[in-house]
Amino acid sequence: MLYPITVEVLHQVFFPHGFVEKIVTFQKSAGFQALIQYQTRQCAISARTALQGRNIYDGCCQLDIQFSNLDELQVNYNNERSRDFTNPSLPSEPKGRSSQQPGYGDAGGMYALQASGAGPGAGVFHHN
């Protein structure tokens, strides 16, 4: 990737469309992907409508947004790869070992942001 896509960058892109509760980013064979959880279903719909096909940066990192089939994102750490905006007291990494993210597999309909070609993917959703 030419430019970094961090939790903070994704929050700036998605926050104007509603309260972002959680963001998880991860690397898959298809490239960088992210899951964004909104407080309401309507916010997720609004974000997808407004941002589908748009670029994160001028001329690159095009978003391919799909709705996720997950009910709830599990965020264990608030760091550069994941953030729970409803729980700011989470640690940045586990004690005594390097941080690892939960494995979000290639389940159908899970991703929503695909940046140019095999770039970032993310799932946008609202939990019940």
Side-chain angles (χ1 to χ4, degrees):
M1 290 183 294
L2 245 55
Y3 301 102
I5 301 174
T6 63
V7 166
E8 288 79 15
V9 168
L10 291 171
H11 189 260
Q12 285 180 341
V13 170
F14 284 89
F15 185 74
H17 304 283
F19 182 72
V20 174
E21 291 185 333
K22 300 174 183 179
I23 297 176
V24 174
T25 65
F26 49 95
Q27 195 72 34
K28 298 301 269 180
S29 57
F32 176 84
Q33 313 223 342
L35 292 166
I36 289 97
Q37 179 175 314
Y38 276 102
Q39 189 173 40
T40 69
R41 178 182 186 87
Q42 188 55 46
C43 292
I45 293 168
S46 171
R48 182 175 187 218
T49 301
L51 297 172
Q52 177 66 1
R54 303 281 303 268
N55 293 336
I56 293 177
Y57 295 106
D58 191 25
C60 73
C61 302
Q62 185 179 22
L63 298 172
D64 178 18
I65 302 175
Q66 303 165 19
F67 291 112
S68 172
N69 57 7
L70 295 176
D71 291 327
E72 177 84 21
L73 275 179
Q74 180 183 353
V75 176
N76 298 319
Y77 310 108
N78 284 335
N79 56 31
E80 70 279 357
R81 292 182 302 278
S82 64
R83 188 79 37 89
D84 184 341
F85 295 96
T86 67
N87 186 2
S89 64
L90 285 175
S92 62
E93 62 182 47
K95 292 186 177 183
R97 53 187 185 145
S98 62
S99 62
Q100 291 187 351
Q101 293 301 314
Y104 291 102
D106 285 283
M110 185 162 114
Y111 307 127
L113 312 171
Q114 198 77 40
S116 47
V124 173
F125 65 98
H126 157 252
H127 71 89
N128 293 330

